[in-house]
């Protein structure tokens, strides 16, 4: 289960404190993982209307994984 609070917190921080284009979102689309920038993801998902938070597999900034559906990040 995706903890939307964690995802929302990362998105909020990226949009208002960091550079959103430095964040990469990996999301599941038809059984395959696709990657895009956070800015582009928000446009594609129409603010989670077309692509819900439950389909986000991971969020990373540079080489650091900030959120992963598979691995617990502390």
């Amino acid at each position: 289960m995706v903890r939307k609070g964690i995802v929302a917190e990362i998105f909020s921080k990226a949009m208002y404190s960091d550079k959103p284009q430095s964040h990469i979102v990996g999301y599941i689309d038809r059984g395959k993982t696709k990657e895009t920038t956070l800015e582009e993801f928000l446009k594609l998902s129409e603010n989670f209307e077309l692509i819900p938070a439950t389909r986000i597999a991971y969020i990373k900034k540079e080489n650091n994984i900030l959120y992963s559906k598979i691995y617990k990040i502390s």
Side-chain angles (χ1 to χ4, degrees):
M1 172 182 247
V2 171
R3 294 183 59 193
K4 190 173 179 181
I6 293 171
V7 172
E9 185 178 320
I10 292 169
F11 276 36
S12 178
K13 183 178 178 191
M15 294 302 292
Y16 301 107
S17 300
D18 294 330
K19 296 177 183 174
Q21 61 272 25
S22 67
H23 289 70
I24 301 296
V25 177
Y27 64 97
I28 308 301
D29 183 37
R30 298 180 184 174
K32 296 181 182 179
T33 304
K34 293 188 175 183
E35 282 191 351
T36 189
T37 64
L38 184 142
E39 278 184 316
E40 187 62 27
F41 177 81
L42 289 175
K43 290 176 190 173
L44 288 172
S45 72
E46 294 186 14
N47 203 24
F48 298 107
E49 292 294 320
L50 296 178
I51 305 171
T54 55
R55 289 185 28 207
I56 296 174
Y58 57 85
I59 303 168
K60 61 185 178 179
K61 180 181 178 186
E62 297 164 358
N63 290 327
N64 298 319
I65 298 173
L66 304 175
Y67 168 80
S68 175
K69 188 180 247 186
I70 300 169
Y71 303 107
K72 184 173 182 170
I73 308 300
S74 53

